[in-house]
Amino acid sequence: MVNAIHTAHSLSTPFSSSLSLSSNLPFSSAFSLRPFPRRHRSLVFIVSASLDAKPTVLVAEKLGEEGLKLLKDFANVDCSYNLTPEELCNKISVCDALIVRSGTKVSRDVFESSSGRLKVVGRAGVGIDNVDLAAATEFGCLVVNAPTANTVAAAEHGIALLAAMARNVAQADATVKAGKWQRNKYVGVSLVGKRLAVMGFGKVGTEVARRAKGLGMHVIAHDPYAPADRARAIGVELVGFEEAISTADFISLHMPLTPATSKILNDETFAKMKKGVRIVNVARGGVIDEDALVRALDAGIVAQAALDVFTEEPPSKDSKLIMHEQVTATPHLGASTMEAQEGVAIEIAEAVVGALRGELAATAVNAPMVPAEILTELKPFVGLAEKLGRLAVQLVSGGNGVKTVKVTYASSRAPDDLDTRLLRAMITKGLIEPISSVFVNLVNADFIAKQRGLRITEERVILDGSPENPLEYIQVQIDNVESRFASAISDSGEIKVEGRVKDGVPHLTKVGSFEVDVSLEGSIILCRQVDQPGMIGKVGSVLGQENVNVSFMSVGRIAPRKQAVMAIGVDEQPRKESLKKIGDIPAIEEFVFLKL
């Protein structure tokens, strides 16, 4: 019994262009459902490269040997370092994947030069500010990173700089090696009891906070996206930006470089800090206005700074910041441990190889992310979602194209206990790919839909019953179009198809107002006929004579001897002559062949 219907927000806005129905493209699936090992916490679906030949992976910056070995076992690997932007663009057109660290800019020009061949960009590290994500998404290229392998290394380096700065280790070391003994000059400050503000409470920031707590520091953190329960679990207080910078004795930066964070520490923010504050940066150089930091150091607002990253790397030899006596500098060593280098190489190689195989990517940064436990539940419905989209759009006939689609999910679960992002993306792919010459995958599905004026809305139908299964059925409805198969038009005037998963296999269970039950494997022939004895035999006989194997057959009817819809699953595509023979059967009123 239905309790309620919940209507979701519109998923894209109308554009002036519309979907052309003139294309007749192959419908080969580019997705597979093999999970990564359990250590990955979140998973997404991505598109695979063709496996007819070995893919080519361009490694543009040095990568650990273990990672290279993994790549070479699967692909042709081109290790070309220190490429100019022009050289990178020239090479990329024959590459399926690209692996970079932080020194290579993967710009829009790179994606344009790839002419659609580049399927995966792997960033060997955490930050992805050197990759144009908008361009990657537009061109259907997955971007993956390696966010876990160097987390501990970066956190340890942050703590090392914190302690070295507090005790003047670098400066004292230099004077001792110069033959001086200046104990009184290098009196430091204690860490215990001091207030540390961790700016950016992601993976590295969290690990820094854990270690700082162990040193006896009082840790606060600022991050507008960090969950409060995670902070509380390790004894960290989340505070606003102004409170963090104005009350801290030490500030440790762990935020990405974005337009919002660029030069976030500047003359104005330095002026709000406690006099004598000490700053550590192992994140990105651009988050600090370096000229403003020099002024703050000279004014005594900032007592010391320990920096591993800089706006320009390497910095100029005459940099006032680098030469400042109160600055401890290291050459971007955050991830530079033997363990981290190998770990990052393995992590990014696994992600890139998995992506090229069509597996699930846990570290994708420009595709829908879904927790692993939700993915496990929804996995059987993913194929159903795409195939319903493909069926629905092939039923459309001419007119102005597809503009409005409604997707309905029926479930016994509460509305907030069903994550449908993957299903929506798969339906979008199914709707667009058969009728568009553009390459579509889960990375760019929403972008392409918006470009073509396809507006998708979602509804939830809440059913009584056990919430053990995430979904009872999925329904796809296309409004304001004509149909190649009139029986697919529902009583309310829209093309409507509905499906369920039975024993792990997607089934078509409704066409228009007719109940059917046919496995969505191979392709389907839909026939509307007068319900009379022998019809199944007549159609089956035609297909048998043409050596077309029938995998499944179902008939849904209004009433005995009235109209009925027969759904026939076939393994091969019948010849036009075979389909014409079916249409010539006197009781057949209309039919359509739909390729999955």
Side-chain angles (χ1 to χ4, degrees), residues 348-400:
I348 200 62
E350 287 180 342
V352 168
V353 169
L356 291 173
R357 281 177 172 157
E359 294 176 350
L360 312 181
T363 60
V365 295
N366 65 335
M369 299 294 290
V370 178
E373 61 273 14
I374 294 176
L375 175 64
T376 300
E377 284 197 317
L378 293 183
K379 181 177 175 180
F381 297 91
V382 170
L384 173 64
E386 182 185 357
K387 289 178 178 181
L388 287 176
R390 286 181 177 273
L391 281 176
V393 80
Q394 289 181 77
L395 288 167
V396 175
S397 173
N400 296 321

Side-chain angles (χ1 to χ4, degrees), residues 39 87 112 149 258 334 361 483 501:
R39 68 177 180 271
E87 290 170 336
E112 290 178 347
T258 67
S483 178
V501 171

Side-chain angles (χ1 to χ4, degrees), residues 568-586:
I568 308 161
V570 293
D571 292 338
E572 299 86 21
Q573 179 171 347
R575 295 183 304 128
K576 288 183 180 179
E577 291 81 359
S578 304
L579 294 174
K580 184 177 185 304
K581 288 180 181 179
I582 293 174
D584 288 342
I585 296 173

